[in-house]
Amino acid sequence: MKTILLLILFFTTPIFAQWNNPHTDDSNQNILYGAFASSPKTLDPARAYSSDETGLIAQIYEPPLQYDYLARPYKLIPQTLTQMPTVTYIKKNGVITETIYDLKIKKGIYYQPHPAFAKNNVKNPHDLKDFKNTATRELTAEDYVYAIKRLASPEVSSPIFGVMSNYIVGFNAYAKTLQSAYQKNHFLDLRQYPLEGVKVINKYEYQIKIRGAYPQFIYWLAMPFFSPMPYEADLFYSQPQLKEKNITLDWYPIGTGPYTLSENNPNEQMILSKNPNYHGEKFNGQTLPKVDKLILSLDKESIPRWNKFLEGYYDSSGISADSFDQAIQLDKNGKPVLTQSMKDKGIRLETSVSPSVFYIGFNMADSIVGGPSEKNKKLRQAISIAIDYEEYIQLFMNGRGVAAEGPIPPGIFGYESDKNHFNKVIYFWDGKNIKRKPISTAKKLMIEAGYPNGIDPKTHKALVLNYDVASSGNPDDRAQLNWMRKQFAKLGIELNIRQTEYNRFQDKVREGQAQIFSWGWLADYPDPENFLFLLETANGKVKFGGENASNYTNPQADKLISEIKILPNEEKRLQKIRELLSIIQEDSPWIWGVNPIDYTLSHQWVSPAKPSAVANNTLKYAQIDPTLRAQLHEKWNKPILWPLWILLGFIILIFIPLIVTYYQRENKSPTKRY
């Protein structure tokens, strides 16, 4: 009997393998399908600062400004405002001492239905859905002011507090006031604590006052940090019984945007659904949003994600290194084009240079790899030369990127790479091309750093350095980490790789516990200052909670960054950027890493989209043809039934003779004995 069951299982597996739709039978509905590889750490707009978090938050919350979907170069336009902010400069002796932004919001914008606005009496809630009563109210200027105040709250620990404290008038003093108040209260009504630089003018108008001139501040007004937050939400989530169950703003957003997070199960799926209270927006004569729902499924491994995309169960996809040759080939001019199998499915390819940088950071507070000493600086320079990112791009990225030479990526003002302007610490000009310096140069620097052949003079053994990475432990990660070990081994350095889950990795960098670490930055706004501030002292990760993850500090660099901030994109600004780059390239707080090129594949039922490197709230523009998708799902994923017929034939061959024999035995005439 066991043999028969095994045979049945063997023959029926191919049948059911084709009935593999990971979703319910709703492919003909106006729903987008996608995947996520790891859960976000927080969805609180005052705290979130990674691309996976922002990709969700931006669909739910609405800062006052947004980017024009079609305009290039990028252009800011109102989102909840009636018009662009009015900007007033206050001067003293010809110098701008303050800049005032006046913002007027539209009337008739309402929050999504939420229990924070209703009366509920739930004693032991396990989920937000346990609160049966929901309500809403109109968006007011007070909500935007309240949100800015939260950025200074010690309970929130916003990553941009360090940056904003340099600009928003009275922000540092306000943070100290809240710190003192929180020691006496478990909850503070921030409306009762005035902030000098931010105030309500009337129900629909508020004002922000910053020190000096900071032209880039207008870009921040398009980021989730400046989204409105109703006082009721802060009060609602302050309840101890909710905090105990992790029912907080980290997981349960409350916004005015086109979508709500209707299901948040990071171990399975996250669902964004249309906000029934959305105030609406017109684009090309159509009402936004166009898609009713986005369903994101947890799918950690790249190969299963890729296969589900090919089967049509995910609407769009990136391309992993393992799948690159299956999707892309180079034409006679070296231009990437789709393979014939992709064309046959009607799949569309979009490529764009990403204004981003992925780098390896040195913790400049570390006694071995950090600090301004010549010894430690030469060690950093030697490692920077040894790690061959040109090889990395070919091996692990299929050529989809360029080796970075500094913090500013292609497409951003100040990026240069030619025979006159390149990173001379790592590269040299051979008369025709820019080339990485030979390993012999790096070994010479190791001697000057006090580590000949990588030997630590204290232990008389190989120098051991710790490298922290966020890794899931899949084969792709292992191959890259083994490659990284070999790069350090060129210098005789032993690399101790410490793999941790992403959230724990973030904590280690935030606390300064990482010695060397992998990090990245995608442009928040299209200005070089958005990358240069990553190396500004006032933005240090450990000391100020900012985004200077390497905790780099150099007074000369700080001075230049301050000057670059207020200059227009003209020759004077470019000269200042060149001067700054020469300083930080010499100091080498980063191994500059890679500027990637993005490849995105979409199925034919997904309408073409305008790629945007800085806008995050683009889900509302997405459009699909669910009828076509349902037709192609059926065509591409027909169940394979021939194994069933083979199984039935096998059963007939095996069991029919047995049945006949049994029948004959039972009906045989009895034999008489005499």
Side-chain angles (χ1 to χ4, degrees):
M1 179 60 71
K2 288 183 179 179
T3 302
I4 294 172
L5 290 174
L6 287 172
L7 287 171
I8 292 173
L9 178 63
F10 175 78
F11 280 108
T12 57
T13 296
I15 302 171
F16 295 109
Q18 297 305 312
W19 298 334
N20 58 350
N21 191 337
H23 315 300
T24 55
D25 187 20
D26 53 10
S27 59
N28 62 342
Q29 296 185 27
N30 192 24
I31 298 174
L32 268 175
Y33 293 101
F36 64 99
S38 60
S39 60
K41 184 178 177 64
T42 176
L43 297 178
D44 184 338
R47 301 179 61 209
Y49 212 177
S50 65
S51 56
D52 59 337
E53 295 164 349
T54 305
L56 290 167
I57 289 172
Q59 322 311 325
I60 301 168
Y61 290 98
E62 291 186 298
L65 301 180
Q66 63 180 335
Y67 288 92
D68 187 304
Y69 182 61
L70 298 177
R72 300 295 183 274
Y74 294 103
K75 176 186 175 183
L76 287 170
I77 59 174
Q79 181 161 228
T80 59
L81 300 185
T82 59
Q83 61 187 29
M84 291 295 289
T86 301
V87 183
T88 305
Y89 298 103
I90 307 299
K91 294 184 179 181
K92 187 176 182 180
N93 298 325
V95 177
I96 297 174
T97 57
E98 290 182 340
T99 306
I100 299 174
Y101 295 83
D102 283 293
L103 305 95
K104 297 180 181 180
I105 65 173
K106 300 172 184 175
K107 298 178 181 180
I109 297 176
Y110 286 84
Y111 284 97
Q112 67 183 73
H114 197 278
F117 300 120
K119 290 184 178 181
N120 285 276
N121 186 20
V122 181
K123 294 183 178 180
N124 189 27
H126 295 278
D127 189 271
L128 196 66
K129 294 177 181 178
D130 291 339
F131 295 87
K132 303 303 180 184
N133 299 327
T134 64
T136 185
R137 74 158 171 81
E138 189 180 15
L139 172 69
T140 67
E142 179 67 60
D143 301 331
Y144 279 105
V145 171
Y146 196 93
I148 297 173
K149 290 178 177 180
R150 287 187 75 241
L151 300 178
S153 168
E155 192 172 50
V156 173
S157 298
S158 174
I160 70 161
F161 170 74
V163 177
M164 289 300 111
S165 63
N166 295 323
Y167 299 108
I168 297 177
V169 174
F171 216 44
N172 265 321
Y174 189 71
K176 292 177 182 177
T177 299
L178 295 185
Q179 179 69 56
S180 176
Y182 266 116
Q183 293 173 358
K184 304 173 184 177
N185 302 274
H186 82 280
F187 170 74
L188 293 181
D189 180 355
L190 299 183
R191 298 175 301 176
Q192 308 305 316
Y193 294 82
L195 171 57
E196 182 183 356
V198 185
K199 65 179 181 179
V200 175
I201 305 299
N202 55 54
K203 186 177 181 180
Y204 300 106
E205 184 178 357
Y206 66 107
Q207 185 182 90
I208 304 173
K209 185 189 299 183
I210 67 171
R211 290 196 294 267
Y214 180 40
Q216 292 79 16
F217 184 76
I218 195 76
Y219 293 119
W220 288 92
L221 297 177
M223 295 172 64
F225 297 110
F226 287 84
S227 301
M229 183 58 64
Y231 151 78
E232 294 91 335
D234 218 13
L235 177 64
F236 177 79
Y237 287 121
S238 70
Q239 299 176 72
Q241 66 269 29
L242 297 190
K243 288 184 175 182
E244 290 174 4
K245 300 294 175 60
N246 203 25
I247 303 176
T248 66
L249 279 168
D250 285 329
W251 291 108
Y252 297 94
I254 173 171
T256 61
Y259 291 94
T260 67
L261 188 62
S262 56
E263 181 173 335
N264 186 2
N265 181 357
N267 295 317
E268 185 175 343
Q269 68 178 11
M270 304 177 79
I271 299 178
L272 290 172
S273 301
K274 266 187 178 181
N275 177 5
N277 294 344
Y278 183 52
H279 53 90
E281 185 177 350
K282 292 289 186 179
F283 177 76
N284 287 345
Q286 294 180 303
T287 301
L288 301 180
K290 299 178 181 179
V291 171
D292 296 331
K293 191 180 291 186
L294 169 66
I295 298 179
L296 298 171
S297 303
L298 178 64
D299 220 335
K300 295 182 177 180
E301 302 296 331
S302 60
I303 296 301
R305 286 199 304 270
W306 174 249
N307 288 335
K308 288 172 187 173
F309 168 72
L310 293 181
E311 292 160 354
Y313 297 128
Y314 293 145
D315 296 313
S316 300
S317 174
I319 310 174
S320 69
D322 290 333
S323 308
F324 187 82
D325 291 339
Q326 185 180 358
I328 302 295
Q329 61 187 10
L330 300 179
D331 63 15
K332 60 182 180 181
N333 297 318
K335 181 181 177 181
V337 296
L338 289 170
T339 59
Q340 191 58 47
S341 62
M342 296 294 106
K343 293 177 182 177
D344 291 344
K345 281 182 170 286
I347 291 173
R348 183 174 58 253
L349 170 67
E350 294 174 350
T351 64
S352 59
V353 177
S354 174
S356 61
V357 59
F358 290 89
Y359 64 90
I360 293 177
F362 295 104
N363 182 0
M364 296 297 283
D366 183 79
S367 60
I368 297 175
V369 300
S373 72
E374 282 295 312
K375 176 177 178 287
N376 291 7
K377 181 168 69 174
K378 290 184 184 296
L379 173 62
R380 295 192 297 269
Q381 291 176 349
I383 296 172
S384 298
I385 293 171
I387 299 182
D388 188 348
Y389 266 107
E390 287 78 12
E391 180 181 84
Y392 178 92
I393 291 166
Q394 294 304 318
L395 287 176
F396 301 110
M397 299 177 66
N398 307 99
R400 291 174 287 175
V402 294
E405 299 180 39
I408 301 176
I412 300 295
F413 182 84
Y415 173 83
E416 295 179 291
S417 183
D418 55 49
K419 66 179 182 180
N420 296 317
H421 305 101
F422 62 91
N423 189 333
K424 296 178 176 60
V425 173
I426 300 175
Y427 297 95
F428 71 99
W429 177 255
D430 71 351
K432 294 182 179 179
N433 299 295
I434 300 171
K435 290 188 176 181
R436 184 173 292 270
K437 289 182 178 179
I439 196 66
S440 58
T441 302
K443 289 181 176 180
K444 182 180 178 182
L445 287 168
M446 289 291 290
I447 295 172
E448 295 172 2
Y451 303 102
N453 297 316
I455 300 300
D456 187 340
K458 295 180 180 179
T459 64
H460 303 292
K461 297 179 180 179
L463 174 64
V464 178
L465 297 179
N466 297 315
Y467 177 43
D468 282 278
V469 292
S471 173
S472 60
N474 63 47
D476 290 345
D477 290 343
R478 287 196 294 271
Q480 293 182 33
L481 294 175
N482 286 335
W483 178 88
M484 191 63 71
R485 280 195 184 95
K486 293 178 182 178
Q487 304 306 298
F488 280 79
K490 295 176 186 176
L491 303 176
I493 299 172
E494 182 179 326
L495 191 65
N496 177 35
I497 296 175
R498 303 190 296 196
Q499 297 174 253
T500 51
E501 182 266 336
Y502 181 60
N503 290 342
R504 174 58 186 143
F505 167 75
Q506 285 184 300
D507 291 338
K508 291 177 76 172
V509 175
R510 185 180 298 109
E511 296 162 4
Q513 296 178 2
Q515 187 177 46
I516 304 173
F517 56 91
S518 287
W519 207 255
W521 191 260
L522 176 64
D524 292 316
Y525 47 86
D527 190 272
E529 186 266 347
N530 187 230
F531 290 88
L532 300 180
F533 93 127
L534 300 174
L535 294 165
E536 191 173 18
T537 299
N539 202 26
K541 176 72 72 175
V542 173
K543 192 172 182 180
F544 302 105
E547 291 306 318
N548 178 354
S550 63
N551 303 298
Y552 173 66
T553 178
N554 183 314
Q556 191 178 1
D558 290 340
K559 180 177 181 295
L560 284 166
I561 292 172
S562 296
E563 294 171 349
I564 289 166
K565 286 177 184 178
I566 61 174
L567 293 172
N569 287 343
E570 297 173 355
E571 184 62 25
K572 185 176 180 180
R573 194 183 203 202
L574 184 58
Q575 292 297 334
K576 294 284 185 182
I577 290 174
R578 288 171 179 168
E579 186 179 349
L580 172 65
L581 291 180
S582 67
I583 293 171
I584 60 179
Q585 288 166 349
E586 176 70 19
D587 286 348
S588 299
W590 296 359
I591 303 168
W592 303 105
V594 177
N595 301 129
I597 299 173
D598 291 337
Y599 284 46
T600 304
L601 300 177
S602 300
H603 281 294
Q604 57 186 288
W605 55 77
V606 180
S607 296
K610 181 79 171 180
S612 178
V614 293
N616 297 297
N617 64 336
T618 55
L619 175 61
K620 60 187 177 184
Y621 302 104
Q623 189 171 5
I624 61 170
D625 182 344
T627 303
L628 177 60
R629 177 173 60 189
Q631 293 171 350
L632 292 175
H633 273 189
E634 183 178 358
K635 178 181 178 181
W636 293 347
N637 300 283
K638 290 183 180 296
I640 302 174
L641 299 178
W642 60 263
L644 178 61
W645 304 121
I646 293 177
L647 175 62
L648 291 174
F650 181 80
I651 292 173
I652 292 171
L653 290 174
I654 294 297
F655 290 98
I656 293 301
L658 294 176
I659 293 172
V660 171
T661 301
Y662 177 81
Y663 179 80
Q664 290 175 342
R665 180 187 300 169
E666 289 297 312
N667 292 279
K668 185 177 181 180
S669 300
T671 302
K672 294 182 180 181
R673 292 187 178 186
Y674 297 94

